[in-house]
Amino acid sequence: MHLIRIPAFQDNYIWLLTNNNHTTIIVDPGEAKPVIDALIQQNLTPTSILLTHHHNDHTGGVAQLVRQYPELKVYGPEETRNKGAQIIVKEGDKLSIGTIHFSVTEVPGHTLGHVAYYSEPYLFCGDTLFSAGCGRIFEGTAKQMYHSLQKLASLPDSTKVCCAHEYTLSNLRFAHSVLPENIKIETYQQQIEQLRAQGQASIPTELQLERKINLFLRCHEVDLQRKLGMNVPSIETWQVFERLRSMKDNY
């Protein structure tokens, strides 16, 4: 499979996943023009669109793409039905699109109906998991979001996290402010600062790296709990996550 990353808006990414059997899948097309330009440039004809959630910066290009490519099938959770989804997906669904196979996981938190799609090694997780961070909680609860991240964290180390925004550097700056003594976070922040200064993307990232630099995947760690003043026997890890998310919201 071949992965193509398409920049959109200020910091969004739209994804194309294609293979040698002429199957091309579009993930979260917030706008149509950059997608159509990439398809023409690569001489690709898309077969399907996957939507992770209903926000316009992930769905805004669907109508124009379907007009341009009438054979497109649009998959998404129930909350995207009025954004163009034709085939509604839910927890545990298995999708076969050409020779590309996906499993669907419900990951509520950012929105209540948010889903993620996994086709080894690629994880399309929308606005749930970011490099060194996670999405804001708009509709769900901290507890829901924490358990959603735990689902994604259970995937193999080699998983390539294809999230929808270039937030890595700001997330690392926050992580460094919480754990300034962490060499891995500091070193990776310096690498990403150089990468972004050169106009390069930091995404996709790998899950094995995220386990080390993403504080939202480390809420079970005693050192982090102590840093937050939350290392008490009665604490639950989702409450540690809730504290971190609140701190990030106000960072």
Side-chain angles (χ1 to χ4, degrees):
M1 291 188 289
H2 179 51
L3 183 71
I4 300 170
R5 179 186 55 245
I6 303 172
F9 303 117
Q10 183 176 350
D11 52 34
N12 277 69
Y13 290 131
I14 302 166
W15 301 95
L16 299 183
L17 187 63
T18 187
N19 65 12
N20 294 330
N21 293 316
H22 308 291
T23 298
T24 299
I25 298 163
I26 308 165
V27 183
D28 280 353
E31 57 179 337
K33 186 181 186 305
V35 177
I36 294 169
D37 290 346
L39 292 168
I40 292 171
Q41 183 179 11
Q42 301 282 337
N43 194 28
L44 299 171
T45 301
T47 61
S48 307
I49 294 174
L50 302 182
L51 302 177
T52 61
H53 64 292
H54 68 81
H55 287 161
N56 286 336
D57 63 323
H58 296 252
T59 62
V62 171
Q64 185 178 343
L65 286 166
V66 171
R67 286 195 297 270
Q68 182 88 5
Y69 303 96
E71 301 302 314
L72 275 174
K73 293 182 179 179
V74 185
Y75 298 79
E78 179 64 41
E79 67 176 38
T80 61
R81 188 185 292 274
N82 66 351
K83 297 300 182 82
Q86 305 154 343
I87 303 166
I88 303 304
V89 301
K90 61 185 184 306
E91 176 79 25
D93 281 354
K94 306 294 183 185
L95 309 181
S96 293
I97 302 173
T99 59
I100 303 178
H101 306 288
F102 293 92
S103 58
V104 179
T105 304
E106 293 177 358
V107 285
H110 182 68
T111 67
L112 285 175
H114 202 304
V115 299
Y117 302 88
Y118 176 64
S119 180
E120 188 177 4
Y122 300 109
L123 171 66
F124 299 100
C125 53
D127 287 355
T128 300
L129 174 64
F130 295 129
S131 183
C134 70
R136 284 180 178 267
I137 301 167
F138 287 125
E139 297 176 11
T141 66
K143 193 171 186 178
Q144 283 178 315
M145 188 65 147
Y146 171 75
H147 288 301
S148 294
L149 290 172
Q150 290 301 108
K151 284 184 181 180
L152 301 183
S154 69
L155 291 169
D157 280 352
S158 58
T159 298
K160 294 190 179 299
V161 179
C162 304
C163 56
H165 290 276
E166 181 60 69
Y167 290 162
T168 309
L169 190 52
S170 62
N171 288 337
L172 285 167
R173 286 170 178 159
F174 168 71
H176 182 62
S177 75
V178 177
L179 295 179
E181 70 282 0
N182 187 290
I183 301 301
K184 183 68 177 179
I185 291 172
E186 182 180 16
T187 301
Y188 193 59
Q189 179 182 334
Q190 292 169 355
Q191 293 173 6
I192 297 303
E193 284 174 345
Q194 293 176 3
L195 198 70
R196 296 299 295 150
Q198 297 165 5
Q200 298 183 48
S202 66
I203 307 297
T205 180
E206 282 202 350
L207 198 51
Q208 61 184 343
L209 171 64
E210 292 306 308
R211 297 187 205 285
K212 299 173 183 176
I213 56 113
N214 193 324
L215 300 188
F216 296 97
L217 300 183
R218 296 173 54 184
C219 296
H220 59 284
E221 295 183 6
V222 172
D223 287 349
L224 178 57
Q225 293 174 6
R226 285 175 178 160
K227 178 67 73 168
L228 300 177
M230 300 185 73
N231 183 227
V232 296
S234 60
I235 200 72
E236 294 190 49
T237 48
W238 73 263
Q239 294 172 305
V240 180
F241 168 82
E242 184 177 42
R243 172 73 63 83
L244 271 177
R245 186 60 260 182
S246 177
M247 290 169 63
K248 179 62 168 67
D249 290 344
N250 294 293
Y251 178 67

